[in-house]
Amino acid sequence: MNADVALLEVNGLKKHFPIHGGLFGRETARVYAVDGVSFSIQRGETLSLVGESGCGKSTVGRAILRLFKLTEGEVYLDGERIDIMRAGQLRGMRKRMQVVFQDPFSSLNPRMKVRDILAEPLINFGMASGRGDLTAKVEALIDKVRLPRDAINRFPHEFSGGQRQRIGIARALAPGADLIICDEAVSALDVSVKAQIINLLADLQDELGLALLFISHDLATVEHLTHRVAVMYLGKIVELADRRGLFAQPHHPYTRALLSAVPVPDPAAKRQRIILTGDVPSPINPPSGCRFHTRCPYVFARCRVEEPVLRTITDGHLSACHLDQVPDAQVLPLAS
Ligand code: SF4
């Protein structure tokens, strides 16, 4: 462990998927799924990556996990560049970063008992020294995710969605990971179960010093869990800030629109809803200038031709919008 560097650092990550067609199967177009994303995560920190479906947030998670090759960019885990590591070298790093997917049922082998599901990574990564130690470690994992001990003798289909997600978390913890990527990990759960899983993740983070990359389409879900939030739109981060700054003073018009849809706990308090018109443009042919300009209520001429860069607004709060350089008094939406 290198305490002087961020646990995870992502620099200029791009992932373009070529589309092949025609008689000779030549590349005819590209899906610009992720187009220059940078962020870091410290030990024990939660960074949430939030945006609508198709914005590229899950692709970022999968690229970090090396489920495919990057088009461009660099990924460092604990100061070591992992995007160019060979398979043998990467194996040691893989146990340090694990993933919890949205649908634990499809990622848990239905023919394996929970005991074997949890034993598998312990054996694969050489984490147990003998049968007794293996059983003790499996039981410790089950205790950590607050399932009854007899769960280890059951199959995945015998559990509820929330319980299956606990098994998925236990499996991610098994190799001793210090970074867990939660890819829409609570999206399929109902509200009360979602809260229980979020509380469990927060407790595990406190206990084990885990770093979490929490990928979600829903700002409300991440509000009580996250330390910082990065908002993505069409392959780019448009705003990045700590939780308090982002929820209290969102800068980017897209973040404001997303936040306006988050229910406020006080029924007397009113938040003006910003309805975005139009669909998210295709990542095959993203708009010129600011990618959000086709839906932005504040769009002006410069937005259509010049791409705004992510710049610091206040300490640790970054936004990519030309309005950040315009005095507040001159900022009026085209329609409300
Ligand atoms: Fe809207 Fe222009 Fe800002 Fe983009 S740069 S978010 S189009 S005001």
Side-chain angles (χ1 to χ4, degrees), residues 99-110 117 165 168 171:
V99 62
V100 179
F101 290 111
Q102 175 174 2
D103 178 8
F105 199 50
S106 63
S107 64
L108 299 176
N109 187 333
I117 289 171
Q165 205 51 301
R171 187 179 54 180

Side-chain angles (χ1 to χ4, degrees), residues 105-331:
F105 199 50
S106 63
S107 64
L108 299 176
N109 187 333
R111 285 187 290 273
M112 283 169 83
K113 286 186 176 173
V114 170
R115 169 197 304 279
D116 300 318
I117 289 171
L118 298 184
E120 194 175 49
L122 291 168
I123 294 167
N124 286 348
F125 289 112
M127 307 290 291
S129 53
R131 186 169 278 278
D133 188 37
L134 185 63
T135 301
K137 286 195 163 125
V138 167
E139 287 175 353
L141 287 166
I142 278 295
D143 293 348
K144 269 203 175 16
V145 296
R146 299 173 200 155
L147 283 173
R149 285 272 176 95
D150 64 6
I152 62 175
N153 292 317
R154 288 150 62 189
F155 290 95
H157 73 267
E158 297 177 62
F159 296 91
S160 67
Q163 289 171 326
R164 284 201 287 264
Q165 205 51 301
R166 287 173 193 265
I167 297 166
I169 293 168
R171 187 179 54 180
L173 294 175
D178 35 21
L179 169 69
I180 296 192
I181 298 178
C182 300
D183 189 358
E184 300 280 11
V186 297
S187 301
L189 304 175
D190 69 37
V191 177
S192 63
V193 179
K194 189 183 282 193
Q196 289 167 17
I197 298 295
I198 285 176
N199 289 339
L200 172 66
L201 285 168
D203 291 348
L204 288 170
Q205 181 171 53
D206 283 348
E207 187 188 331
L208 305 171
L210 295 172
L212 300 176
L213 176 60
F214 202 86
I215 296 169
S216 175
H217 65 279
D218 180 16
L219 269 171
T221 297
V222 308
E223 185 171 2
H224 302 291
L225 165 91
T226 201
H227 297 107
R228 289 185 301 139
V229 185
V231 178
M232 275 189 79
Y233 186 79
L234 217 55
K236 294 197 175 258
I237 290 178
V238 295
E239 185 157 7
L240 198 161
D242 65 24
R243 175 182 55 189
R244 185 195 283 256
L246 189 114
F247 282 90
Q249 275 203 308
H251 275 261
H252 197 281
Y254 179 58
T255 313
R256 284 189 229 157
L258 287 183
L259 265 179
S260 77
V262 173
V264 278
D266 177 3
K270 284 214 163 51
R271 184 182 269 162
Q272 194 193 356
R273 182 83 198 265
I274 303 168
I275 311 281
L276 293 176
T277 53
D279 295 327
V280 181
S282 165
I284 296 176
N285 190 16
S288 60
C290 173
R291 292 185 175 198
F292 186 54
H293 87 246
T294 55
R295 303 171 78 199
C296 180
Y298 298 90
V299 61
F300 57 107
R302 183 179 170 193
C303 308
R304 297 188 178 91
V305 290
E306 188 185 328
E307 184 169 3
V309 296
L310 196 62
R311 69 181 86 231
T312 300
I313 307 301
T314 53
D315 196 20
H317 195 143
L318 290 84
S319 168
C321 173
H322 295 311
L323 285 180
D324 294 325
Q325 296 163 287
V326 176
D328 280 353
Q330 293 175 25
V331 176

